[in-house]
């Protein structure tokens, strides 16, 4: 993941965006339908769920994501209001935030990831998980004081739609902490078929 940097945010809404990179490309150029894109992403992350789960603790505690939650905690206080973990995976970050006093809603497109998250959530207060597409979520406008979304938007067919949805869901003055894959990250391999004009489920 790229080093996180502050962007100017929205001068009208006051919503703040913290991101490592703001560029994206359209995935629709290769003709993959919305339903097919979502289905392939879901299947891929269902296949990867167990492997991801085996590595998530290390990633969040001492690996590439170790600075993310401390930064989020500096930007959004537990008593600010509910927070959304958009693309929560197996729920490791959501659960860690909940144990720190946050009220957390975790969402992921992968059913298997959500099953892992719910299994770990037993006995933890202040956190719920559900499957969902981050470009169209069933929450009210301004529902969240903060949104955490790490290595997620590049897996959506239309990254701008995800960003617009995050903007809708943030209350005025809310904070979006966004991370995308760095240029040398291993999962970048999913985007390589684009070089040969083939469909791909990654937008970077």
């Amino acid at each position: 993941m790229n080093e996180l940097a502050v962007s100017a945010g929205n001068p009208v809404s006051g919503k703040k965006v913290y991101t490592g990179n703001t560029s994206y490309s359209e995935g629709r150029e290769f003709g993959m339908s919305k339903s097919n894109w979502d289905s392939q992403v879901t299947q891929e992350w269902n296949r990867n769920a167990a492997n991801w789960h085996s590595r998530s603790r290390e990633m969040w505690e001492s690996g590439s994501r170790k600075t993310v939650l401390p930064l989020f905690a500096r930007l959004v206080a537990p008593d600010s209001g509910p927070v959304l973990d958009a693309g929560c995976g197996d729920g490791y970050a959501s659960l860690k935030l909940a144990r720190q006093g946050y009220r957390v809603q975790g969402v992921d497109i992968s059913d298997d990831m959500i099953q892992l998250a719910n299994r770990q959530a037993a006995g933890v207060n202040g956190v719920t998980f559900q499957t969902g597409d981050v470009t169209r979520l069933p929450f009210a406008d301004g529902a969240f004081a903060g949104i955490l979304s790490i290595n997620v938007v590049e897996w959506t067919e239309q990254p701008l739609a995800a960003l617009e949805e995050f903007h809708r869901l943030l209350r005025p003055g809310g904070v979006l902490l966004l991370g995308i894959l760095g240029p040398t990250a291993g999962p970048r391999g999913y985007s390589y078929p684009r070089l040969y004009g083939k469909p791909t489920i990654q937008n970077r």
Side-chain angles (χ1 to χ4, degrees):
M1 187 176 65
N2 292 345
E3 181 179 356
L4 296 167
V6 181
S7 79
N10 187 313
V12 176
S13 68
K15 298 171 184 178
K16 304 173 185 69
V17 179
Y18 296 80
T19 178
N21 196 318
T22 57
S23 63
Y24 54 85
S25 61
E26 279 289 346
R28 191 168 289 176
E29 61 191 290
F30 295 123
M32 190 181 293
S33 70
K34 180 71 174 178
S35 59
N36 192 40
W37 180 288
D38 288 352
S39 175
Q40 290 195 36
V41 171
T42 300
Q43 290 173 21
E44 190 64 37
W45 283 109
N46 281 342
R47 282 194 292 268
N48 285 335
N51 179 56
W52 179 270
H53 181 54
S54 72
R55 299 183 295 115
S56 62
R57 178 183 177 86
E58 184 276 331
M59 283 188 289
W60 286 103
E61 297 297 342
S62 59
S64 61
R65 300 185 175 197
K66 65 182 179 181
T67 61
V68 172
L69 294 184
L71 176 57
F72 189 79
R74 291 201 302 271
L75 299 170
V76 184
D79 59 1
S80 298
V83 299
L84 174 67
D85 187 357
C88 64
D90 68 344
Y92 190 90
S94 298
L95 291 163
K96 189 165 184 176
L97 288 172
R99 293 184 179 104
Q100 294 172 5
Y102 290 86
R103 288 177 289 150
V104 187
Q105 173 66 61
V107 174
D108 200 276
I109 199 169
S110 165
D111 308 286
D112 288 7
M113 289 286 200
I114 293 300
Q115 288 179 13
L116 288 167
N118 280 321
R119 196 177 306 155
Q120 297 176 96
V124 180
N125 295 322
V127 61
T128 56
F129 295 104
Q130 68 184 74
T131 55
D133 178 347
V134 297
T135 67
R136 47 186 188 277
L137 291 168
F139 308 118
D141 295 358
F144 299 102
I147 298 177
L148 178 70
S149 188
I150 306 300
N151 302 152
V152 175
V153 297
E154 59 265 50
W155 298 98
T156 62
E157 184 185 20
Q158 295 183 341
L160 180 58
L163 296 177
E164 290 175 338
E165 183 71 342
F166 295 159
H167 184 269
R168 180 186 73 81
L169 294 172
L170 275 178
R171 61 184 55 173
V175 172
L176 167 62
L177 182 57
L178 181 75
I180 66 170
L181 290 166
T184 61
R188 288 276 189 192
Y190 285 100
S191 66
Y192 294 161
R194 185 181 304 280
L195 296 173
Y196 306 100
K198 298 178 180 179
T200 174
I201 55 171
Q202 192 180 92
N203 256 314
R204 285 287 294 152

